[in-house]
Amino acid sequence: MTEPSPSYRVLVGITGCIAAYKACEVVRGLQRAGCQVKVVMTEHATRFVDPVTFRALTHEKVAVGLFDDPSDPIHHISLAEWCDLFLIVPCTANVVAKLACGLADDLLSTTALACPAPLMVAPAMNMNMYAAPAFQDNLAALRRRGVLVVDADEGYQACGDVGRGRLPEPDAIVARALEALADPPAADATRVLAPQDLAGLSVVITAGPTVEPIDAVRFVSNHSSGKMGYALAAGAAARGARVTLISGPVALDAPEGVQVVPVRTAREMLEAAEEACLGANIAVFAAAVADYRPAHPADRKLKKGADDAALDHIELVRNPDILATIAAAKRPGQVVVGFAAETDDVVENARKKLASKHADLIVANCVGDGVAFGQDDDQATLVTAAGDEELPLMPKAELADVILTRAKELGR
Ligand code: PMT
């Protein structure tokens, strides 16, 4: 963990959410790392944890109302200018929305608007609220402005649901805060942005391989690393889209601002895609889905000798075609993009897939040993009803940008 100088000053903002109790541990963790901490709370936050708790922890007055401190008539400005980092933990959907709109109707939001220091938010809420397009759009707007976001964790929630929206553990939040203090973002806190031409659009991407079990230890799969799908997800998020990435097992980090849905088998991927694609504007199927799966997977390890009959002849059954299933139920204006991974007659086979799978665009690429799979570059031809566009070999990030641009044009 990075050791900051003891002179770092962190203003911790607490909003009205059951996870407010974890903010006590965040305050303690920051203090243990040598930071000075002051606390500002919303009225609703005080219903979950009493300000007395934070007063005892920080030995400082805890600010709640805009007019609470008669000795400091412009409290929001003095707090805003005091801190090296303003960390709002937990940050409710309501406060994310207020920050996105620049609303300043209480001490916390007014301080955030006035604060020249980096702002970090750690959202926490019910999984459906977290997945709601309105919330995701607001969070994307904050990211675009350079606000640092600690993404919510997946897991058991206070309401009994299991999903994404949990506040990460206090240690992880403290570590992110210390990183930001040691290496603060640029002074104007605004990132150099990609054009936000996908803002307001929902994009679903599948990536990586699927894994189809033979028994408890063996499986059928392929060489997909997920790099192409993850490049598409990162590119779409950077251009302002709300992105759901349905990923088979890969060794890649989740791109920033992307909601990842981990799956293993083709049938799990189909179920996740059917749900995610309901409201999607663009769906890109970059995953290398296993076309077949063992018909009778064993839930234990099959033994050589004793289980030779089962191992010598593994009966396979066809997996559902995810791309074809989604394209068959396509809404007007929705754009469906598939890939074609071929070793021979690449473009010709891609044209057949365009027709048979009812896709709007097929990205045809040649695959093989050391080609496309696992590589950082790829050479592709984009095949649509209007014709073919042969692209040069390029980094997958650049190819992702071209694919997203063509998909957006097809949706007009
Ligand atoms: O992951 P990387 O290492 O970066 O490699 C990238 C890649 C080579 C995997 C990628 O560029 C690619 O070509 N992905 C598609 C691989 C594939 O399964 O191609 P296919 O020709 O077998 O399938 C055609 C299309 O149907 C694909 O969009 C595929 O996602 C989809 N499909 C296939 C079978 C199936 N049961 N369901 C599907 O949805």
Side-chain angles (χ1 to χ4, degrees):
M1 188 182 290
T2 324
E3 287 294 331
S5 130
S7 61
Y8 282 127
R9 292 175 298 201
V10 182
L11 180 62
V12 174
I14 301 165
T15 73
C17 163
I18 179 61
Y21 75 93
K22 290 190 184 174
C24 303
E25 278 303 320
V26 172
V27 168
R28 296 292 287 138
L30 290 167
Q31 289 172 325
R32 273 196 296 273
C35 301
Q36 292 177 54
V37 180
K38 288 189 184 182
V39 168
V40 55
M41 301 174 80
T42 62
E43 284 287 346
H44 285 155
T46 66
R47 305 289 290 268
F48 291 91
V49 183
D50 198 291
V52 169
T53 306
F54 292 105
R55 189 170 175 171
L57 289 173
T58 60
H59 300 185
E60 295 275 358
K61 285 183 211 157
V62 172
V64 180
L66 264 167
F67 308 105
D68 278 359
D69 186 351
S71 67
D72 185 353
I74 35 180
H75 204 179
H76 59 293
I77 302 297
S78 41
L79 284 170
E81 290 181 349
W82 171 82
C83 64
D84 299 308
L85 177 73
F86 188 8
L87 167 62
I88 305 182
V89 52
C91 192
T92 59
N94 181 50
V95 171
V96 167
K98 289 208 300 190
L99 297 173
C101 294
L103 274 180
D105 63 352
D106 61 6
L107 181 61
L108 185 143
S109 54
T110 311
T111 305
L113 202 59
C115 190
L119 175 63
M120 178 178 279
V121 296
M125 65 205 67
N126 164 268
M127 56 183 245
N128 293 327
M129 292 172 73
Y130 194 82
F135 168 73
Q136 287 294 331
D137 282 349
N138 288 332
L139 196 61
L142 295 190
R143 286 184 207 276
R144 285 200 294 280
R145 283 183 214 144
V147 173
L148 305 164
V149 177
V150 184
D151 287 314
D153 273 354
E154 250 187 80
Y156 183 76
Q157 302 202 288
C159 53
D161 285 341
V162 179
R164 186 168 298 280
R166 265 173 71 90
L167 190 72
E169 289 311 311
D171 281 354
I173 297 169
V174 170
R176 280 290 303 276
L178 296 179
E179 273 170 32
L181 285 162
D183 184 15
D188 69 356
T190 304
R191 291 179 197 174
V192 179
L193 291 175
Q196 298 299 290
D197 59 333
L198 302 181
L201 297 187
S202 161
V203 176
V204 175
I205 290 155
T206 68
T210 66
V211 167
E212 312 292 339
I214 296 169
D215 64 12
V217 297
R218 304 176 179 92
F219 54 79
V220 175
S221 191
N222 57 66
H223 296 297
S224 171
S225 65
K227 284 182 180 177
M228 188 67 239
Y230 276 58
L232 282 156
R239 289 165 64 171
R242 200 166 52 244
V243 183
T244 304
L245 173 61
I246 303 168
S247 176
V250 297
L252 299 173
D253 290 333
E256 202 180 321
V258 166
Q259 186 179 3
V260 181
V261 181
V263 296
R264 291 186 67 77
T265 66
R267 286 181 294 173
E268 287 172 13
M269 188 173 272
L270 173 63
E271 198 183 323
E274 283 184 317
E275 191 184 327
C277 285
L278 284 176
N281 303 94
I282 297 173
V284 187
F285 296 86
V289 184
D291 287 310
Y292 293 88
R293 68 176 184 275
H296 309 291
D299 54 13
R300 62 179 177 83
K301 181 180 175 186
L302 296 173
K303 300 294 288 175
K304 276 176 283 178
D307 294 312
D308 274 353
L311 284 168
D312 284 350
H313 301 283
I314 298 170
E315 187 189 338
L316 297 174
V317 288
R318 282 293 284 267
N319 262 330
D321 191 310
I322 301 165
L323 163 60
T325 308
I326 300 292
K330 200 166 49 147
R331 293 190 325 274
Q334 194 175 37
V335 177
V336 173
V337 178
F339 274 69
E342 305 289 343
T343 53
D344 308 286
D345 305 322
V346 178
V347 174
E348 199 181 315
N349 283 321
R351 281 194 208 110
K352 286 182 190 155
K353 283 182 177 163
L354 183 77
S356 67
K357 299 195 185 218
H358 305 289
D360 300 296
L361 165 64
I362 291 281
V363 182
N365 60 173
C366 185
V367 294
D369 198 10
V371 182
F373 283 123
Q375 304 300 305
D376 292 330
D377 301 322
D378 197 7
Q379 192 278 315
T381 299
L382 307 187
V383 177
T384 64
D388 307 339
E389 180 183 2
E390 188 177 343
L391 300 171
L393 181 70
M394 59 176 80
K396 283 179 178 170
E398 278 176 34
L399 176 58
D401 263 337
V402 179
I403 294 166
L404 291 166
T405 299
R406 296 293 174 268
K408 186 189 74 172
E409 289 164 356
L410 285 166
R412 279 200 192 124

